[in-house]
Amino acid sequence: MRWLFLFVICFSCSLSAQDDLLAKDYMQNGDFEKALVVYKKLYEEKPTNAYYTSQLVACYQQLEDYKTAETILINRLKLSQYPVNYVELGYNFQLQNDSLNAQKNYEKAISSISERANYSYGVGRKFQEYSLLDEAIKTYELAMQLEPGLEFNMQLAAIYGEKGQIDKMFNSYLNFGLSNEGSREAIKRFIGEFISENPDDQNNSLLRKVLLKRIQSAPDLYWSDMLSWLFVQQKQYDKAFAQEKALYKRETQDPTRLVDLGEISKTDKVYSMALEVFNYIIENTQSPALLLYANQQILEIKIDIGLEKDYKDINSIYESLLETYGKTPESVDLTISYAHFLAFYLKDANIAISVLKQALDLRVSEPKKAEIKIELGDILVFEERFNEALIYYSQVQRTLKNSTLSQIARFKVAKASYYKGDFTWAESQLKILKSSVSQLTANDALDLKLLISDNRQEDSLQVALTQYAKADLMAFQNKTQEAILRLEKIKEDHKTKTIIPQVLLKQAQLYEKQQEFDKAKINYSFLIANFKDSILIDDAIFALAILNLNELNLPEDAKKGFETIIFEHADSIYFTESRKKYRTLRGDDLQ
């Protein structure tokens, strides 16, 4: 019989759940009379169920039958003086504009926390649910005062943000971050929504003042960390560097944060700052691994900003470092970097390949071997030795299945196949990669797949696509001018083809690489004006806005571009960055 009893119980619960779902649907559609019928039934079956009671009360309130709602709530208080019930009763009075009785019940709920601080969870949440923000603040602050172990700073931060009290919001977030070290990156993301790149923005100034006050009154490493982070958000890398040097000397002797700053500066192409940071690391560390890494970063920056006449000196430095540290597992990253420089800049691919094959004989981890093989494959593609490149990429796929490196290798298989004109095989690989664990790989795969599929459909002979793939390969080989000319020929020969927007975009990017910014602007503008339905339209609008902002000193034109992304391309991958830059240019108070 026991199984029958359990069956009846389970069946009853299932029916109640179905009724609840039906009632919720009625509520969402505004059919409060129908929802009332269902919840009355559920309430009668389980009068002590707090959820059914609250939903029934909400139905009566929606139908403005406050007296019946009041009766239900008073009856519940007779059964249980759980303080959340006072909040609900108070809110029912408030709906009737009876502020006196509303406040009496709110105060009863808040004062109950003095007897039992844990009541604050339910009471505070219910106040927030009813948008009674001041009462929620009182609840949480009293609870933390009475019981220091309770933590409501995140709730308080959200409330202060909603009220527009940004300084208090910052303080609450910082309080939480101080006592919860694992949450600090999340705290930066939350605060990041309220600041901009503009140091003079009101919210930026508020945060800076809050942090400086804390540094002066109660010094802690965390405040200095946050101040340095703020400087980075404002692109004030020199101030961030000054802060990080002080931290390094005074407190940590841990170079990790300096390395992060150097990498951020490098990524943002603030090369002078990146060089200064990495040189400082070299001067202040005894770690061979860090010395190798910092020297590698400096060399790669010099390659990015250097002219061909500098390559001889850069090559000598690479050789000197490898001679000093030896060709060992510890110097593999430097070896890979050197091989890339040899092939792509000195055009000495054979030596580069030899260097990497020697590195494969070292006792390194499989992921590190995979990195060597991927670079080997890239150099073989550079040499247009596609079949050999595919062997190395495929080895990575087999060895490290389902890893990020395996996904990268598969994409490179597709890209190599595309370069040599095997579009069918390339597309088959790209279909697999659309669901790649690496979002970057997935996005790149989708872009290339669309390029191939759109143009294969239009042109059965794939003449234009074949020519574009050759131009793309030239760009990969650092044959920038040759690639530009090849793209120009495609524009002349295939004026009405689907591939033209892609040609215009690629050519503009290559013009930017050569610092021919006016030519790049012409391409972007032509694409925007003449191919409004192209999937590349948001790429062109965003690229032109960045060009106007960073290179052509046309902030108003840049602002219009970012505004277009925000209002006309809300699904664009550039939406978030456009909104941030737009707010900065407009001087918004980010509340």
Side-chain angles (χ1 to χ4, degrees):
M1 293 297 291
R2 184 181 176 188
W3 67 268
L4 182 60
F5 174 75
L6 290 172
F7 174 76
V8 171
I9 293 295
C10 291
F11 183 70
S12 175
C13 289
S14 176
L15 287 176
S16 296
Q18 288 177 19
D19 286 341
D20 180 38
L21 285 171
L22 179 63
K24 280 180 181 175
D25 191 49
Y26 287 144
M27 293 278 279
Q28 287 174 358
N29 293 324
D31 294 332
F32 301 114
E33 291 91 349
K34 292 180 180 178
L36 179 64
V37 172
V38 179
Y39 279 124
K40 278 179 74 174
K41 174 191 167 189
L42 292 170
Y43 174 68
E44 287 166 3
E45 290 172 356
K46 296 182 180 179
T48 58
N49 185 297
Y51 171 73
Y52 293 152
T53 306
S54 295
Q55 291 298 92
L56 180 62
V57 166
C59 286
Y60 280 120
Q61 289 171 343
Q62 289 290 345
L63 296 168
E64 299 186 7
D65 187 353
Y66 302 116
K67 291 303 177 185
T68 304
E70 182 182 332
T71 301
I72 294 169
L73 290 169
I74 288 171
N75 287 336
R76 187 163 69 173
L77 274 166
K78 288 176 183 176
L79 293 172
S80 168
Q81 292 193 322
Y82 181 51
V84 172
N85 298 337
Y86 288 112
V87 179
E88 292 193 327
L89 181 59
Y91 184 66
N92 195 66
F93 282 121
Q94 184 167 319
L95 290 173
Q96 301 172 74
N97 296 317
D98 186 351
S99 57
L100 183 62
N101 278 315
Q103 285 301 319
K104 280 182 182 178
N105 281 282
Y106 295 155
E107 289 303 324
K108 283 182 182 178
I110 294 171
S111 62
S112 70
I113 294 165
S114 300
E115 302 166 16
R116 188 172 174 182
N118 280 341
Y119 282 147
S120 55
Y121 289 99
V123 171
R125 189 163 53 247
K126 185 58 72 172
F127 278 136
Q128 283 187 265
E129 184 184 321
Y130 291 144
S131 295
L132 299 165
L133 303 184
D134 291 332
E135 286 78 8
I137 290 170
K138 282 183 187 177
T139 300
Y140 293 136
E141 288 184 341
L142 177 60
M144 289 195 294
Q145 181 184 334
L146 294 170
E147 186 63 61
L150 293 175
E151 176 56 82
F152 292 112
N153 275 299
M154 288 298 284
Q155 289 89 332
L156 286 168
I159 294 169
Y160 286 132
E162 194 173 340
K163 287 170 65 69
Q165 295 176 305
I166 304 301
D167 55 339
K168 290 185 177 181
M169 180 196 73
F170 285 153
N171 274 303
S172 294
Y173 276 136
L174 292 170
N175 288 339
F176 187 83
L178 181 63
S179 55
N180 296 272
E181 190 171 342
S183 71
R184 291 180 180 178
E185 289 307 308
I187 294 298
K188 288 176 181 177
R189 288 195 297 275
F190 292 135
I191 290 177
E193 290 294 316
F194 290 84
I195 62 171
S196 73
E197 294 177 3
N198 181 8
D200 298 323
D201 178 87
Q202 183 179 349
N203 290 352
N204 291 53
S205 298
L206 274 174
L207 180 58
R208 187 165 57 251
K209 287 175 184 175
V210 166
L211 289 168
L212 288 171
K213 185 175 180 180
R214 287 180 178 240
I215 288 170
Q216 291 163 5
S217 61
D220 190 280
L221 205 61
Y222 181 43
W223 314 138
S224 299
D225 167 31
M226 288 300 297
L227 185 59
S228 176
W229 172 80
L230 174 61
F231 288 141
V232 170
Q233 306 316 298
Q234 296 171 170
K235 310 293 185 185
Q236 294 176 310
Y237 298 120
D238 53 340
K239 292 185 178 180
F241 185 36
Q243 195 72 21
E244 292 299 340
K245 283 193 292 187
L247 282 168
Y248 180 78
K249 289 177 181 176
R250 188 177 72 245
E251 300 277 358
T252 64
Q253 294 294 301
D254 178 3
T256 305
R257 296 166 52 81
L258 284 164
V259 170
D260 290 343
L261 179 59
E263 289 173 345
I264 291 168
S265 303
K266 180 185 173 188
T267 301
D268 234 10
K269 298 186 178 180
V270 186
Y271 292 130
S272 59
M273 190 73 257
L275 287 170
E276 195 173 341
V277 173
F278 286 121
N279 277 313
Y280 180 83
I281 291 170
I282 289 169
E283 292 165 7
N284 289 275
T285 186
Q286 300 300 316
S287 164
L290 196 54
L291 284 167
L292 265 172
Y293 180 75
N295 274 295
Q296 178 186 329
Q297 296 304 306
I298 288 171
L299 283 167
E300 289 175 2
I301 291 167
K302 287 181 175 179
I303 292 167
D304 283 343
I305 63 178
L307 301 172
E308 198 166 332
K309 64 181 178 61
D310 302 317
Y311 291 168
K312 186 177 179 181
D313 290 339
I314 292 169
N315 186 60
S316 296
I317 297 169
Y318 267 119
E319 289 179 340
S320 176
L321 284 169
L322 287 168
E323 186 176 338
T324 300
Y325 291 97
K327 293 177 181 178
T328 65
E330 289 71 29
S331 65
V332 163
D333 287 336
L334 184 67
T335 300
I336 295 171
S337 176
Y338 180 43
H340 187 86
F341 171 69
L342 284 170
F344 286 84
Y345 294 90
L346 291 188
K347 307 293 193 265
D348 204 339
N350 288 332
I351 294 179
I353 291 167
S354 174
V355 165
L356 290 173
K357 285 183 175 178
Q358 289 175 34
L360 283 175
D361 293 331
L362 297 170
R363 297 183 64 182
V364 294
S365 67
E366 285 301 330
K368 192 56 66 178
K369 276 190 178 180
E371 289 179 36
I372 297 169
K373 288 179 179 180
I374 286 172
E375 186 62 44
L376 252 173
D378 289 351
I379 293 170
L380 289 163
V381 169
F382 176 87
E383 286 286 283
E384 300 184 39
R385 292 156 62 179
F386 300 114
N387 291 336
E388 292 176 70
L390 291 171
I391 291 170
Y392 285 105
Y393 294 145
S394 299
Q395 285 176 2
V396 174
Q397 283 182 256
R398 286 197 303 271
T399 308
L400 299 172
K401 290 180 180 177
N402 301 319
S403 69
T404 300
L405 283 170
S406 174
Q407 301 289 340
I408 290 170
R410 186 183 291 277
F411 178 69
K412 287 180 179 289
V413 166
K415 200 74 183 277
S417 301
Y418 151 77
Y419 284 145
K420 71 172 186 170
D422 189 351
F423 302 122
T424 302
W425 179 246
E427 196 171 5
S428 71
Q429 298 301 296
L430 294 165
K431 283 179 182 176
I432 299 170
L433 278 168
K434 281 198 299 180
S435 58
S436 168
V437 290
S438 164
Q439 192 57 51
L440 180 61
T441 305
N443 290 338
D444 289 344
L446 179 60
D447 288 344
L448 186 55
K449 184 188 177 302
L450 289 172
L451 169 66
I452 294 171
S453 59
D454 288 353
N455 289 284
R456 285 182 73 202
Q457 288 173 11
E458 186 185 69
D459 179 6
S460 59
L461 297 177
Q462 298 150 30
V463 176
L465 181 58
T466 301
Q467 290 303 308
Y468 181 84
K470 288 179 180 177
D472 208 355
L473 176 60
M474 287 175 177
F476 177 73
Q477 294 168 317
N478 279 339
K479 298 175 181 177
T480 307
Q481 188 57 37
E482 292 95 320
I484 288 172
L485 293 173
R486 173 82 63 157
L487 293 167
E488 193 64 34
K489 186 76 166 57
I490 297 171
K491 281 161 60 178
E492 293 170 4
D493 294 346
H494 305 276
K495 292 178 181 178
T496 61
K497 293 290 173 58
T498 307
I499 204 164
I500 295 302
Q502 188 76 49
V503 170
L504 288 164
L505 185 69
K506 185 70 178 181
Q507 195 178 48
Q509 292 166 345
L510 294 174
Y511 280 138
E512 283 201 62
K513 185 178 179 181
Q514 291 194 318
Q515 299 191 333
E516 296 181 87
F517 301 122
D518 290 331
K519 289 183 178 180
K521 181 170 184 175
I522 290 169
N523 268 37
Y524 290 134
S525 300
F526 189 83
L527 195 164
I528 293 164
N530 295 280
F531 298 93
K532 296 184 184 298
D533 295 329
S534 170
I535 60 171
L536 300 174
I537 188 73
D538 60 324
D539 297 84
I541 294 168
F542 183 78
L544 180 57
I546 292 293
L547 185 67
N548 282 325
L549 181 64
N550 294 341
E551 306 297 347
L552 300 177
N553 195 26
L554 296 169
E556 285 303 312
D557 289 350
K559 188 168 73 173
K560 288 176 185 175
F562 296 132
E563 185 178 36
T564 302
I565 294 287
I566 294 165
F567 293 108
E568 297 180 24
H569 301 277
D571 58 344
S572 170
I573 60 171
Y574 306 110
F575 175 82
T576 302
E577 187 65 19
S578 294
R579 183 175 59 180
K580 190 171 183 179
K581 290 188 179 297
Y582 177 73
R583 287 175 170 181
T584 299
L585 288 168
R586 199 172 67 174
D588 281 10
D589 179 10
L590 303 181
Q591 291 188 15

